[in-house]
Amino acid sequence: MNSMIPKMSGEERREEGRFVLPEDEVRIFGAVAYMTVLEDRLTKIRLRRTWSYVQWKERETAAICLNMLPKDEQEGKHGEVAGAYMLQITPKQAKVTTHDPEGITNGLTTLYWMLREGGGACDCGTFTDAPACEHRGILLDSSRHFFDVETIKGMIEQCTLRKLNRLHWHLSDDQGYRLESGRFPRLNEIGSWRTEPDASRYGGFYTKAQIRDIVSYAGARGMQIIPEIDVPGHVSAIVAAYPHLSCSGEELEVKNMFGIHEHILCAGKDVVLQFVCCLLDEVMELFPYPYFHIGGDEAPKGEWKKCPACQARIRAEGLKDEEALQAWFTKKVLEHLQEKGRTAVCWNECMKSGELDARAVVQYWDEEEDAGYCKELAEGKRKCIYSYTPAFYFDYEPMLTPMRRMRNLKPVLRDGSQVAARNLLGVEATFWSERIEDRERLEKLAFPRLLAVAEAAWNGLEDYEEFVKRCEEHVRVLDEDGIRHYSMAEADLEGEAQKEAIIKEWKPMVEKARAAGMGHFVDILGRLVEKKLEGIMDEAMIQEMLAEFRA
Ligand code: ACM
Ligand code: ZN
């Protein structure tokens, strides 16, 4: 199976003979529910026109055997991380043995690739396979741009075909609130819509029925969805709907510009925490999984400094400052989630106070220069999802976040220290959607780079050249399936070509910003470009490029 990405990690014993998927009726032992996905996938590539399968009671005589065993009965050698499986193929049967549902979906995905490559048949043998990372994710931002259900499902399908297993779904931000709310209807009436600079209206939200449909679609493919409701910052849409939740109570609009906005939730008013807990309860009903993301990034403290209620809270709780107030607020939300049996995930800023509960998982994206508050990740004090911007921010074109960043990927922090291996839950590529307007661009930004994420999360990515060869073959699969993508060359531009591409892409934006009196944009862009390219582009070349922007 040369085209399957990620490749299998375990042992492979080839045997004589071929397994041919029966033409008429396919007998299934085990949970037939999983077969609808295989059916869908085989139908899509025309390996099936009609499909009928029956639940079969006998393990030995079924054509497909989904063999779920308790842990101690496990046959053969498997990894510890959820999703490990063994696939045994004989002329009569394809058997997946595992001890968790992710193992079943992974095994069936491998079988799909084998059958696809063999035109409905595959070679016999025994294969063991297990992922290195438990969390192999993408972040999809439905706030800045609202993607329809088909686009979301399309991404889920493309990800799960590569055994990515987590969708971190960013559903609330300054630019829109995207979930139907029965308890807080203004979140939809007001918070889901914004007025664009050209006066048009933009927005929408997912109904509860749509969310259930998506959760079930993802679940059948082995993917859990982690919803994110970002608090206390990035809340303009919520505050536009319910202005009393901010410190000033001032009316404001759902934002049509990206950036960091100063209105955040007031941490001094009791009603705010009641609102947040109530809202999270409503969201939790839709997402049945253990993790829940509560954001916590980029929460400016200007409002809290001026707010009598926030200052009273700081005094009453004996807190040091506004950072400690965010820690206090986060702790309250976290305790609420824990009462409901959930584990909170939050962005690395939540560690700033040094008081974040040890059970919270931190998603690392960046830390201000020399801040040092992320060192507890290197010390192995808590679980971490790694999404460091220079490698994993795929909302930037590959000229800025090239695929080769995944080569020998080490989860290093800004200061060069490394996340302790035992606490690394996994990795996640982000698709912030400020500049992703539609499905076409989303796919293009995703592929082929996401293949490298899938490979790195499953196997590490030590032999990059070997991976690139497989990738070139896999790109043909993307073409066959009609998935838009950058070419392999575009995904890994180097040197002059990379420099020219960046100038061509960004110079018009720099000029526009300067004309609008936003000269500081050049400095922000400069710092961003420098950081992203550090270590992969010659320093002199980086400076030449920045000079071009400043000219
Ligand atoms: C982030 O990019 N603000 C997490
Ligand atoms: Zn306040």
Side-chain angles (χ1 to χ4, degrees):
M1 251 169 321
N2 296 324
S3 64
M4 187 172 84
I5 288 181
K7 67 179 175 188
M8 287 188 277
S9 64
E11 288 160 22
E12 183 176 318
R13 201 175 63 234
R14 301 260 167 194
E15 282 147 29
E16 285 295 300
R18 298 271 288 169
F19 168 79
V20 182
L21 195 66
E23 279 296 330
D24 43 10
E25 171 187 279
V26 184
R27 296 167 176 177
I28 317 288
F29 176 88
V32 165
Y34 290 109
M35 298 311 294
T36 54
V37 176
L38 187 60
E39 175 190 0
D40 267 9
R41 289 176 171 171
L42 294 178
T43 306
K44 223 175 255 160
I45 54 169
R46 296 174 203 282
L47 278 179
R48 278 278 158 192
R49 247 173 291 273
T50 56
W51 170 279
S52 94
Y53 44 80
V54 290
Q55 179 92 55
W56 199 248
K57 294 248 158 41
E58 229 178 47
R59 229 177 259 259
E60 287 72 26
T61 54
I64 293 182
C65 177
L66 306 177
N67 195 26
M68 185 103 85
L69 298 179
K71 241 181 175 166
D72 49 357
E73 276 183 44
Q74 190 81 3
E75 301 168 4
K77 190 168 142 268
H78 303 278
E80 287 303 306
V81 175
Y85 67 94
M86 174 163 62
L87 182 59
Q88 289 163 294
I89 312 232
T90 66
K92 296 226 160 65
Q93 186 179 66
K95 176 160 90 169
V96 180
T97 303
T98 178
H99 54 69
D100 59 69
E102 274 195 42
I104 296 278
T105 49
N106 287 332
L108 284 176
T109 299
T110 298
L111 182 61
Y112 161 79
W113 285 110
M114 288 178 165
L115 292 173
R116 177 171 181 157
E117 201 157 283
C122 58
D123 287 342
C124 294
T126 298
F127 311 87
T128 57
D129 194 14
C133 293
E134 170 184 331
H135 181 111
R136 308 180 298 279
I138 65 158
L139 176 153
L140 203 51
D141 169 9
S142 281
S143 175
R144 278 58 176 263
H145 280 103
F146 180 62
F147 303 110
D148 64 15
V149 172
E150 285 317 303
T151 299
I152 305 286
K153 284 186 174 175
M155 262 321 258
I156 291 171
E157 171 68 347
Q158 291 309 313
C159 287
T160 53
L161 276 171
R162 281 89 199 178
K163 300 194 175 82
L164 296 169
N165 67 345
R166 296 286 186 274
L167 170 62
H168 166 185
W169 203 359
H170 189 75
L171 288 161
S172 173
D173 211 301
D174 297 303
Q175 292 78 6
Y177 185 85
R178 300 289 175 228
L179 280 175
E180 178 183 356
S181 178
R183 296 191 194 177
F184 304 109
R186 285 173 63 89
L187 286 177
N188 301 133
E189 290 156 19
I190 310 286
S192 297
W193 300 91
R194 65 176 184 249
T195 304
E196 295 288 56
D198 69 0
S200 63
R201 296 282 282 165
Y202 182 92
F205 59 89
Y206 304 104
T207 65
K208 291 189 178 186
Q210 286 173 326
I211 295 287
R212 289 196 183 96
D213 177 37
I214 290 169
V215 167
S216 144
Y217 181 90
R221 285 159 177 74
M223 176 177 263
Q224 296 186 9
I225 302 187
I226 302 174
E228 180 184 351
I229 302 296
D230 199 345
V231 291
H234 286 284
V235 289
S236 300
I238 294 175
V239 172
Y242 296 101
H244 69 285
L245 299 175
S246 75
C247 292
S248 68
E250 204 179 293
E251 303 238 335
L252 57 86
E253 307 235 300
V254 179
K255 303 292 180 192
N256 61 16
M257 286 290 288
F258 46 87
I260 301 175
H261 299 282
E262 82 259 35
H263 293 279
I264 71 173
L265 296 177
C266 178
K269 301 178 194 169
D270 291 336
V271 65
V272 172
L273 268 172
Q274 286 157 12
F275 172 92
V276 170
C277 292
C278 201
L279 182 63
L280 295 198
D281 285 347
E282 190 178 26
V283 178
M284 273 187 268
E285 280 171 21
L286 295 168
F287 297 95
Y289 297 115
Y291 292 111
F292 197 108
H293 207 302
I294 53 171
D297 57 324
E298 300 178 322
K301 304 296 183 309
E303 296 280 294
W304 286 6
K305 284 192 182 24
K306 293 184 298 198
C307 170
C310 283
Q311 293 306 315
R313 179 81 79 198
I314 287 176
R315 286 191 300 278
E317 299 291 335
L319 304 171
K320 190 164 89 240
D321 56 12
E322 287 74 21
E323 281 312 329
L325 182 57
Q326 183 172 349
W328 177 88
F329 179 87
T330 302
K331 183 159 184 279
K332 291 286 170 197
V333 178
L334 217 130
E335 282 168 355
H336 182 74
L337 288 174
Q338 275 160 359
E339 272 170 30
K340 308 274 167 166
R342 307 293 178 112
T343 298
V345 186
C346 43
W347 294 107
N348 55 239
E349 286 96 319
C350 288
M351 289 188 297
K352 253 187 206 176
S353 65
E355 286 165 19
L356 181 63
D357 188 288
R359 286 166 292 185
V361 173
V362 159
Q363 185 166 10
Y364 183 79
W365 70 284
D366 205 357
E367 179 182 14
E368 301 91 296
E369 205 118 29
D370 302 325
Y373 64 82
C374 292
K375 64 178 179 299
E376 57 183 89
L377 296 177
E379 291 161 358
K381 290 192 178 145
R382 71 170 69 252
K383 295 238 186 294
C384 175
I385 296 166
Y386 189 69
S387 295
Y388 191 31
T389 52
F392 286 98
Y393 270 38
F394 283 7
D395 43 318
Y396 291 95
E397 294 80 5
M399 62 186 94
L400 276 179
T401 314
M403 192 157 83
R404 63 184 180 282
R405 278 281 187 206
M406 294 293 146
R407 181 203 297 257
N408 285 321
L409 179 76
K410 299 274 181 300
V412 289
L413 306 176
R414 167 78 84 104
D415 70 2
S417 60
Q418 234 181 94
V419 175
R422 66 181 178 282
N423 282 338
L424 183 70
L425 268 187
V427 296
E428 189 176 297
T430 67
F431 296 90
W432 298 104
S433 65
E434 288 95 336
R435 298 184 302 123
I436 308 179
E437 285 167 11
D438 54 28
R439 182 171 183 167
E440 176 169 355
R441 185 158 161 83
L442 182 60
E443 287 178 358
K444 253 193 109 165
L445 289 170
F447 292 104
R449 286 182 294 179
L450 212 43
L451 303 174
V453 176
E455 188 67 39
W458 195 278
N459 285 313
L461 189 41
E462 280 163 24
D463 190 346
Y464 192 72
E465 277 65 38
E466 181 269 345
F467 165 75
V468 165
K469 280 203 196 86
R470 272 187 294 129
C471 227
E472 271 155 6
E473 206 164 317
H474 198 92
V475 160
R476 285 206 288 276
V477 173
L478 293 172
D479 290 331
E480 265 171 44
D481 292 351
I483 303 299
R484 273 69 55 106
H485 62 87
Y486 280 105
S487 69
M488 288 293 288
E490 288 167 328
D492 250 342
L493 286 178
E494 286 187 81
E496 273 304 321
Q498 187 177 8
K499 187 185 102 179
E500 292 305 319
I502 294 170
I503 291 171
K504 185 161 171 251
E505 174 80 18
W506 287 88
K507 186 102 195 245
M509 264 180 278
V510 167
E511 278 163 3
K512 221 161 118 186
R514 198 180 278 126
M518 292 168 63
H520 63 285
F521 180 79
V522 182
D523 297 324
I524 295 171
L525 177 71
R527 279 197 298 279
L528 180 111
V529 165
E530 269 181 312
K531 193 170 75 182
K532 284 192 167 286
L533 299 179
E534 193 188 351
I536 57 166
M537 190 189 267
D538 180 74
E539 180 58 30
M541 202 178 267
I542 295 176
Q543 292 312 322
E544 274 171 40
M545 183 168 57
L546 295 182
E548 178 83 22
F549 287 145
R550 292 194 184 100

